[in-house]
Amino acid sequence: MQLVVLARLLQPEDFGLMALIVVFVGFFHLYSDAGLSSAIVQRQQTTHEELSSLFWLNVLAGLGMLAVLLLCAPAVSWIYGEPRLRPLLALAAFAFLVLPISQQFQARLQKALRFDTLAAVDVLSTAAGVATAIFLAYRGFGVRSLVLGFLASTVVRAAALFALGMRDWRPQLRLRVSDLGGYVRFGGLHMAERTVNYLGSNLDRLLIGALVGTHGLGLYSIASQLVMRPLQVVNPIFTRVAFPIFSRVQNEDQRLRAGFLDGIRAITFVLFPIYMGMIVLAEPLVEVILGERWLPSVPILQAVSILGFFYCLGNPLGVLLLAKARIELGLYLNVWRVVLYALAISVGARWGLQGIAYALVIATAAGLFPLGFIVRWLLVRMRPSEYLSAWMPTLISAVVMGVVLWVARDFGPVPGAALGELILYTVAGAAVFLVVAIPWQRAFLASLRNVLR
């Protein structure tokens, strides 16, 4: 809904600027948390005194990141040759006044498996951010509407988590080094891993902004948002639940393997057909959701949708790394990803945005995906055959769906508006996928129904 409206009210350059702002704010957010939220969830025994010290350490770190980002804003603006970045980054930096007060309450809710509460907070904060951004964009605020929408969402989320958390636990006015001990050690290593992971995940935006400019980055950013949105909805359902549960059985490799494979089956069953549909129906999808002026992003969307398949398979691995407290493996893997992606983007940039996108696909398929087999074996002795059999039937079903849709669009085009074409082929594609996939996944779907009951 947000993209549908905002894409018609704002320019690609606005989304390009916001993409850079989100990258820098997100990077500093890693350090305001210092990896302590994950340490709280992973550690099974915590005291009130320890949590109080951690709370105030988060607050101080957040204030420090506010100051650092304000100081860095002029340099960032100069590097990208965008004078508008300086005031926008300074405005977005004030999120650090409220972000730290909610982080520990969120971790406590996650550890207590109160996912319904977290989901309600997400819905409320997202609605506040979307409403603010759309209203201000309509009033002519331009890219500032995106920044202020982000701030509105951040404030509402922090306020809601703080209000809910204070009902069950109130921090003491206490900050002692003796309370921090193992938390800081685990959090520091996790923060290092998350820093490199974050750079790997956002290196494309950082370099595209410098190499291609904010217009090109806006097109790429919108395509990436369309691809990432389904993953952002589905993946946290698994990771939020799995992390605290996996942490409780962190020494039982058989249960960890079974839980991980069930998670992969569920994630791929939902997302693989979506990403195949995005590849085949990219043109009507962009025209309906974003409008005709965004049609140049169609080939980029198709390439990034291929990356979506790898994201589905790779993201859940982080849960195992955290549960087993093997952060160093994730750190090594992400260092390699940063190096690999930097090379891929540098080479792909010769052929523009589409070249960058396909270079990232090749780098992920050849340089990252195979390493996952080694990491899973080291963590829980998961055999490649187990892993492949969990999602290969779903991939085949999605490919069959894609081929049927491609042939149908070539030989039986639907006259009229893009909306009608999109609806018709989406329904037809879903039917084909389910007909092919259900016989293969009957046992898993039956077990999933029993769990949901």
Side-chain angles (χ1 to χ4, degrees):
M1 175 61 182
Q2 181 181 12
L3 280 181
V4 172
V5 178
L6 291 176
R8 288 164 170 78
L9 296 173
L10 302 173
Q11 300 299 318
E13 291 83 355
D14 296 327
F15 287 96
L17 286 167
M18 189 61 194
L20 289 173
I21 292 166
V22 169
V23 169
F24 283 102
V25 171
F27 179 79
F28 283 98
H29 184 209
L30 294 179
Y31 286 84
S32 71
D33 177 61
L36 299 177
S37 297
S38 296
I40 292 170
V41 177
Q42 197 274 340
R43 196 162 187 171
Q44 297 304 297
Q45 300 295 328
T46 56
T47 67
H48 191 280
E49 290 77 13
E50 291 171 345
L51 293 176
S52 296
S53 290
L54 291 170
F55 176 85
W56 293 111
L57 180 61
N58 273 146
V59 171
L60 291 177
L63 293 175
M65 291 305 103
L66 168 62
V68 172
L69 187 53
L70 289 174
L71 291 173
C72 290
V76 173
S77 178
W78 176 77
I79 290 171
Y80 284 93
E82 272 289 353
R84 290 177 292 175
L85 268 177
R86 180 176 181 176
L88 293 171
L89 268 176
L91 178 61
F94 284 95
F96 290 103
L97 290 177
V98 296
L99 274 170
I101 68 171
S102 64
Q103 288 168 168
Q104 192 167 143
F105 293 116
Q106 177 179 329
R108 286 172 55 81
L109 288 171
Q110 184 179 359
K111 188 172 184 177
L113 308 183
R114 293 177 59 182
F115 302 111
D116 54 342
T117 302
L118 288 171
V121 171
D122 285 343
V123 170
L124 178 64
S125 60
T126 300
V130 169
T132 301
I134 291 176
F135 173 76
L136 293 176
Y138 180 76
R139 299 287 295 181
F141 277 64
V143 66
R144 288 177 296 163
S145 62
L146 297 175
V147 179
L148 292 169
F150 160 74
L151 286 176
S153 177
T154 301
V155 170
V156 170
R157 178 179 177 80
L161 288 171
F162 182 81
L164 291 168
M166 290 290 282
R167 296 177 181 178
D168 303 322
W169 176 81
R170 294 174 180 268
Q172 300 175 354
L173 190 60
R174 175 189 177 96
L175 178 57
R176 295 185 183 178
V177 175
S178 59
D179 293 333
L180 304 176
Y183 295 96
V184 173
R185 285 191 294 272
F186 179 92
L189 186 58
H190 186 214
M191 184 173 66
E193 187 271 335
R194 286 175 65 190
T195 298
V196 182
N197 180 39
Y198 190 81
L199 287 174
S201 299
N202 293 279
L203 194 62
D204 50 355
R205 291 168 178 80
L206 290 170
L207 294 183
I208 288 171
L211 295 173
V212 181
T214 54
H215 179 84
L217 178 57
L219 295 175
Y220 182 88
S221 176
I222 284 292
S224 296
Q225 286 184 57
L226 286 175
V227 170
M228 292 304 296
R229 186 56 188 161
L231 186 64
Q232 289 167 349
V233 172
V234 174
N235 197 55
I237 297 173
F238 171 72
T239 55
R240 279 185 175 179
V241 175
F243 179 29
I245 293 177
F246 283 11
S247 295
R248 294 178 182 181
V249 295
Q250 56 191 263
N251 297 318
E252 302 178 43
D253 286 355
Q254 185 174 353
R255 293 180 67 181
L256 290 174
R257 280 199 307 272
F260 181 86
L261 291 173
D262 281 345
I264 286 291
R265 289 187 186 96
I267 290 171
T268 56
F269 190 84
V270 174
L271 294 181
F272 274 10
I274 291 176
Y275 288 135
M276 183 57 67
M278 284 186 172
I279 293 171
V280 180
L281 303 175
E283 185 173 344
L285 178 67
V286 168
E287 187 173 345
V288 169
I289 293 181
L290 305 177
E292 291 186 2
R293 67 174 173 176
W294 291 92
L295 287 176
S297 68
V298 165
I300 305 167
L301 174 62
Q302 291 173 319
V304 178
S305 294
I306 300 174
L307 275 177
F309 285 91
F310 291 103
Y311 293 153
C312 290
L313 297 171
N315 280 7
L317 183 59
V319 178
L320 282 182
L321 291 168
L322 287 175
K324 299 288 285 187
R326 294 295 305 274
I327 310 298
E328 75 283 357
L329 290 177
L331 178 60
Y332 302 149
L333 195 63
N334 283 308
V335 167
W336 168 238
R337 180 167 68 154
V338 169
V339 174
L340 189 65
Y341 277 12
L343 292 173
I345 292 169
S346 300
V347 173
R350 300 176 185 178
W351 294 275
L353 286 174
Q354 196 172 349
I356 291 174
Y358 279 108
L360 289 173
V361 171
I362 295 170
T364 303
L368 280 179
F369 180 70
L371 295 179
F373 292 101
I374 300 173
V375 175
R376 283 183 292 272
W377 173 259
L378 292 175
L379 290 174
V380 292
R381 294 296 186 265
M382 184 181 296
R383 298 189 304 274
S385 58
E386 291 180 285
Y387 178 67
L388 292 172
S389 64
W391 53 266
M392 189 59 72
T394 305
L395 177 62
I396 295 172
S397 303
V399 171
V400 170
M401 180 200 83
V403 171
V404 170
L405 287 182
W406 208 291
V407 172
R409 290 194 71 212
D410 278 347
F411 291 95
V414 176
L419 179 59
E421 181 182 4
L422 183 62
I423 293 174
L424 175 62
Y425 285 123
T426 297
V427 173
V432 170
F433 174 78
L434 292 174
V435 167
V436 178
I438 285 179
W440 264 338
Q441 300 285 15
R442 195 182 303 277
F444 168 68
L445 294 174
S447 66
L448 187 61
R449 270 200 309 271
N450 292 333
V451 170
L452 293 176
R453 287 175 185 171

